[in-house]
C-alpha cells in the first residue's frame, strides 16, 4: 500500500466533489454507459481516430482500444479522397461519442489540422466536450476563435505552450523566474487568457496547476514528481477524458447522484480531478523510479492514485 498524499483542506473539498461525480460500478450499467471517449491524433469505451500507418501500431498496444484509421496526412491522400470527405468520416462518429480528446500524436500536417478544425466545429454544434493538448493547442494558437466562448472545452498547456497561447490572445506574461518554485500561485495571467477565450477552461500546468475559466480559479497544489519527461501530459488528457465522461453520466443521472452540481461546476471539478490524479501518479512514479522515470511509469500508477484520492463508493471515503 502506498503512502497517501498530503492534502490541503481546499483540495480535500474539491476531491469530495469529484467523488460525488464519479459513478459507482453497478451491475445494472451496460457497455458504453459510463462514457465513450475518442482520442484524435480510460473510460468505458475508448476510440482512437488516427492515420492508417499509426493504426497498425496502436492496435498492438491494447485490445481495449477501438482503432479507426480515418485521418490522412496531406501527402497520403488517394485520388478518390478529398479533405471534406476525410472530415465527414470522422464527423459521422460524433453522435456515438460523449467526449473528444484532440492533440496527442496529432502532428501539424495541414490536412490533419484542418480535419480536426472541422471536427471541433461540429462537436460544438453537438455540445460535445473536448480536451485540446499538444498539437491540438496549435489549432487555438493559429485561430483562437475556433474555441472562443465554448465552455465545454479544456486546454492543457505546459509552460511553453501557455506562453504561445497567451501571445495568441494578446495577453502579456510576467518574466519567468525558474528559481521561484511558487511562481504558479500567480493566477492572474491564466485568468486573463481564459477570459480572452470567452470562458474556456485553461489548466496551466506547472509547479502547481492553475485551473481557471476566467471567473473561477482553483489551484491544484498536490505534490508531484520532480522529473519532467515527454508524454506525461497524456496521463492528464486521458484522466480528463474519463472524468468528462463521468460528468456526462452524472448530468444524465444514470444513478442516484449526490448533490446538484451545474455543468460549469462539474467541468471545473473534472479538471481538478484530472490534475490531482496526474500529480499523484507523478509523485508515486518518481518515488519509485527517481531520475529514470518515464511517462509510461505514470500509467502504472493510475489505479492506486485514483484509490488514494477518490476511492470507490463501496468503500469508506479516504478523504
Amino acid at each position: 500500500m502506498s503512502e497517501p498524499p498530503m492534502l490541503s483542506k481546499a483540495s480535500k473539498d474539491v476531491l469530495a466533489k469529484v467523488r460525488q461525480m464519479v459513478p459507482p460500478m453497478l451491475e445494472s450499467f451496460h457497455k458504453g454507459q459510463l462514457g465513450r471517449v475518442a482520442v484524435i491524433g480510460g473510460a468505458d469505451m475508448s476510440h482512437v481516430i488516427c492515420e492508417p500507418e499509426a493504426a497498425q501500431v496502436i492496435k498492438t498496444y491494447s485490445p481495449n482500444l477501438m482503432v479507426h484509421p480515418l485521418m490522412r496526412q496531406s501527402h497520403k491522400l488517394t485520388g478518390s479522397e478529398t479533405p471534406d470527405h476525410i472530415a465527414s468520416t470522422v464527423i459521422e462518429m460524433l453522435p456515438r461519442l460523449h467526449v473528444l480528446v484532440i492533440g496527442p500524436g496529432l502532428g501539424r500536417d495541414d490536412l490533419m489540422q484542418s480535419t480536426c478544425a472541422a471536427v471541433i466545429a461540429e462537436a460544438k454544434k453537438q455540445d460535445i466536450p473536448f480536451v485540446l493538448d499538444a498539437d491540438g493547442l496549435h489549432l487555438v494558437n493559429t485561430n483562437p476563435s475556433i474555441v472562443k466562448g465554448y465552455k465545454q472545452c479544456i486546454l492543457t498547456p505546459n509552460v511553453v505552450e501557455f506562453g504561445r497561447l497567451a501571445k495568441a490572445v494578446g495577453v502579456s506574461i510576467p518574466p519567468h523566474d525558474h528559481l521561484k518554485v511558487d511562481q504558479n500561485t500567480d493566477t492572474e495571467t491564466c485568468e486573463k487568457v481564459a477570459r480572452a477565450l470567452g470562458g474556456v477552461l485553461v489548466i496551466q500546468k506547472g509547479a502547481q496547476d492553475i485551473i481557471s475559466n476566467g471567473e473561477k480559479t482553483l489551484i491544484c497544489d498536490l505534490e508531484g514528481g520532480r522529473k519532467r519527461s515527454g508524454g506525461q501530459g497524456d496521463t492528464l488528457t486521458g484522466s480528463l477524458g474519463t472524468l468528462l465522461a463521468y460528468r456526462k453520466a452524472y448530468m444524465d443521472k444514470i444513478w442516484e447522484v449526490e448533490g446538484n452540481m451545474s455543468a460549469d461546476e462539474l467541468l471545473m471539478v473534472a479538471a481538478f480531478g484530472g490534475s490531482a490524479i496526474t500529480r499523484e501518479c507523478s509523485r508515486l512514479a518518481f518515488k519509485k523510479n527517481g531520475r529514470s522515470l518515464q511517462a509510461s511509469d505514470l500509467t502504472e500508477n493510475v489505479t492506486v492514485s485514483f484509490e488514494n484520492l477518490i476511492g470507490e463508493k463501496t468503500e469508506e471515503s479516504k478523504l
Side-chain angles (χ1 to χ4, degrees), residues 89-234:
T89 60
V90 180
I91 289 170
E92 286 172 2
M93 289 188 62
L94 294 185
R96 299 158 50 188
L97 303 173
H98 297 148
V99 180
L100 289 174
V101 174
I102 301 173
L106 177 65
R108 297 189 182 182
D109 174 82
D110 288 345
L111 180 55
M112 298 280 278
Q113 290 272 318
S114 65
T115 299
C116 284
V119 171
I120 287 171
E122 185 60 31
K124 288 162 59 179
K125 293 178 184 177
Q126 298 187 27
D127 207 29
I128 297 173
F130 53 82
V131 181
L132 294 182
D133 184 35
D135 288 322
L137 294 171
H138 183 66
L139 286 163
V140 183
N141 293 340
T142 56
N143 182 17
S145 65
I146 196 171
V147 298
K148 189 171 184 177
Y150 188 63
K151 297 186 178 181
Q152 295 216 72
C153 169
I154 299 179
L155 308 181
T156 62
N158 59 28
V159 62
V160 175
E161 293 164 339
F162 184 78
R164 295 171 182 153
L165 181 62
K167 182 178 180 180
V169 297
V171 173
S172 60
I173 297 182
H176 189 72
D177 186 346
H178 293 279
L179 298 179
K180 291 185 178 180
V181 177
D182 64 344
Q183 58 198 359
N184 274 61
T185 57
D186 177 12
T187 63
E188 185 178 356
T189 306
C190 185
E191 292 164 350
K192 286 181 178 179
V193 170
R195 283 196 293 270
L197 289 168
V200 166
L201 189 62
V202 178
I203 302 178
Q204 182 186 357
K205 297 184 289 191
Q208 299 181 100
D209 292 347
I210 299 173
I211 302 164
S212 182
N213 60 11
E215 297 180 1
K216 182 175 177 58
T217 301
L218 298 173
I219 294 179
C220 188
D221 58 1
L222 276 73
E223 179 187 357
R226 297 184 182 181
K227 168 77 180 292
R228 302 289 184 267
S229 61
Q232 291 187 42
D234 292 346

Side-chain angles (χ1 to χ4, degrees), residues 213-286:
N213 60 11
E215 297 180 1
K216 182 175 177 58
T217 301
L218 298 173
I219 294 179
C220 188
D221 58 1
L222 276 73
E223 179 187 357
R226 297 184 182 181
K227 168 77 180 292
R228 302 289 184 267
S229 61
Q232 291 187 42
D234 292 346
T235 299
L236 175 60
T237 52
S239 298
L240 291 172
T242 299
L243 290 170
L244 288 176
Y246 291 165
R247 168 181 177 262
K248 176 173 172 52
Y250 179 98
M251 291 166 59
D252 289 345
K253 293 181 168 56
I254 67 172
W255 79 97
E256 191 172 338
V257 302
E258 303 173 58
N260 187 30
M261 291 183 279
S262 68
D264 288 347
E265 182 178 11
L266 286 166
L267 195 76
M268 184 75 71
V269 165
F272 187 93
S275 171
I277 289 171
T278 304
R279 296 180 73 87
E280 176 67 351
C281 286
S282 177
R283 181 185 76 88
L284 294 174
F286 182 74

Side-chain angles (χ1 to χ4, degrees), residues 61-78:
Y61 291 168
S62 169
N64 301 316
L65 297 173
M66 286 159 281
V67 183
H68 307 270
L70 302 177
M71 301 290 284
R72 296 291 186 276
Q73 295 184 50
S74 302
H75 65 284
K76 293 184 178 178
L77 273 180
T78 66

Side-chain angles (χ1 to χ4, degrees), residues 276-302:
I277 289 171
T278 304
R279 296 180 73 87
E280 176 67 351
C281 286
S282 177
R283 181 185 76 88
L284 294 174
F286 182 74
K287 183 177 180 181
K288 177 182 178 181
N289 302 97
R291 293 176 182 269
S292 66
L293 179 148
Q294 301 180 61
S296 57
D297 297 323
L298 272 66
T299 306
E300 297 174 3
N301 287 283
V302 170

